[in-house]
DNA sequence: ATCGTTGTACACCGATCGGTGTACTTATCT
DNA sequence: AGATAAGTACACCGATCGGTGTACAACGAT
């Protein structure tokens, strides 16, 4: 058996989980494969049987984060306006937790510094997905130029994430900015 | 002589310059002290005579960047509104250059992940300085709640910086968001 | 001319980096 | 029971990590 619907937690999954924790908390370059394997309770040899190298682990880890994040977006019942604000409320809440280190996709992209790196590609797609989530809600709310406003909201999202990394915690300015932008477009 | 007004470019300055280039382009953890010294054309021994360690070089490098950046803000003659927009125009212009890797202060803060690191402290002060620059212009423009709006502009600034790192290049959404926010506050 | 500063060259340190080779144990499926 | 896949233990590789010790050359100021 190579892969069944209900999968046992194997070495691969434990590696990805450990990678999510460690790379996010301490940085990709700051965590070596030995540390990673030890924390995942996986032999070093197993890592290289599942992945072609550290980069592949990084990519898999970001992919796993992306899969979880898209699910997080949508509290589907609410109004378009609330569906948008919910994202920022969630971000503010996370930003006030002590172990928040900013958006993991943005963090990885900044640390890797290579637009062509597969992990950065995932980060890019993830940001586009967030923008599309905003755009969809805006269209449902009857906003013209939904794409442009959605991009502006993404800017604020990443700005708020950056704020929490540099200053620590969240700021009411985030929600204020979002509400001003939404009001200005009649929603 | 330890320090005179007109200073010769010594080992220290060359190290800081090289650090600005390398750490920004490739990341702090990705550049070792050997590489740094080689690029600065400075012996490794000299580095440790001027700095207590790599961390101190990182801090000095961010401090140097900060000193240059504050000067960049102010095109003093213009109107409050234009003084604000000038910052975002400059950012957009930089973001379209191929070697732009985002705001160096944000980058360092994300990579170091420690609010107490001296370099991150500098980053924090730098962001506060930018916010204060915005606030001053807004006050001159007669805006109430200048501090809060200034913070919102800083969010957009960092969001736009993040955008360029993940997507490459700039986006018109930045300027649109700024203008919407300014208009909403009557400026 | 001499003296302290500033810098260089270079060998060296233990630790860690990403990655591999080999041999062994443990499961799972039939 | 036997075969096959999945995983472990551990030693090892060259390279690089941040940092140090020592000895020697170039310098500017008096």
């Amino acid at each position: 058996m190579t892969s069944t619907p209900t999968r046992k937690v194997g070495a691969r999954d434990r590696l990805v989980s450990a990678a999510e924790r460690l790379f996010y908390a301490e940085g990709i370059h700051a965590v070596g494969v030995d540390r990673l394997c030890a924390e995942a309770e996986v032999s070093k040899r197993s890592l290289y049987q599942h992945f072609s190298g550290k980069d592949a682990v990084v990519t898999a880890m970001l992919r796993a984060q992306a899969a979880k994040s898209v699910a997080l977006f949508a509290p589907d019942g609410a109004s378009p306006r609330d569906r948008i604000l919910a994202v920022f409320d969630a971000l503010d809440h996370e930003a006030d937790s002590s172990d928040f280190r900013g958006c993991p996709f943005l963090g990885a992209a900044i640390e890797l510094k290579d637009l062509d790196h597969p992990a950065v590609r995932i980060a890019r797609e993830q940001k586009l997905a967030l923008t599309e989530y905003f755009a969809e809600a805006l269209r449902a709310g009857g906003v013209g130029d939904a794409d442009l406003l959605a991009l502006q909201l993404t800017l604020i999202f990443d700005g708020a994430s950056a704020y929490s990394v540099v200053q620590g915690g969240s700021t009411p300015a985030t929600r204020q900015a979002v509400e001003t932008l939404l009001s200005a477009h009649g929603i």
Side-chain angles (χ1 to χ4, degrees), chain A:
Chain A
M1 157 206 319
T2 310
S3 113
T4 43
T6 54
R7 185 78 167 280
K8 270 208 323 222
V9 286
R12 193 193 158 95
D13 303 73
R14 265 176 294 155
L15 280 168
V16 171
S17 300
E20 290 183 57
R21 261 189 305 118
L22 292 175
F23 289 154
Y24 178 66
E26 305 180 27
I28 294 169
H29 289 124
V31 176
V33 292
D34 292 279
R35 252 294 286 310
L36 179 63
C37 288
E39 212 91 16
E41 293 180 291
V42 159
S43 74
K44 209 172 165 184
R45 213 67 191 83
S46 291
L47 188 154
Y48 288 99
Q49 267 151 14
H50 287 287
F51 300 97
S52 60
K54 189 187 181 183
D55 266 15
V57 181
V58 172
T59 306
M61 155 247 169
L62 257 208
R63 208 185 305 273
Q65 300 253 58
K68 292 176 192 170
S69 295
V70 281
L72 243 160
F73 291 166
D76 238 5
S79 72
R81 190 170 191 275
D82 285 347
R83 279 197 309 191
I84 290 169
L85 286 171
V87 172
F88 290 95
D89 284 347
L91 177 61
D92 274 0
H93 184 260
E94 281 186 279
D96 286 325
S97 122
S98 68
D99 53 355
F100 185 66
R101 250 90 192 171
C103 168
F105 306 100
L106 179 54
I110 287 187
E111 198 174 346
L112 296 175
K113 293 187 190 296
D114 175 13
L115 279 173
D116 292 329
H117 191 294
V120 176
R121 266 183 226 276
I122 293 174
R124 186 155 56 243
E125 286 164 19
Q126 187 63 16
K127 288 301 169 193
L128 294 176
L130 176 62
T131 305
E132 183 50 32
Y133 171 81
F134 286 144
E136 212 167 310
L138 290 171
R139 280 191 288 266
V143 174
D145 241 345
D147 286 333
L148 187 54
L149 180 51
L151 238 170
Q152 299 177 24
L153 292 175
T154 303
L155 292 186
I156 295 181
F157 183 91
D158 286 334
S161 168
Y163 178 91
S164 80
V165 171
V166 178
Q167 309 286 348
S170 64
T171 166
T174 304
R175 194 175 227 276
Q176 300 260 15
V178 171
E179 285 178 343
T180 303
L181 249 43
L182 292 180
S183 306
H185 290 77
I187 191 178

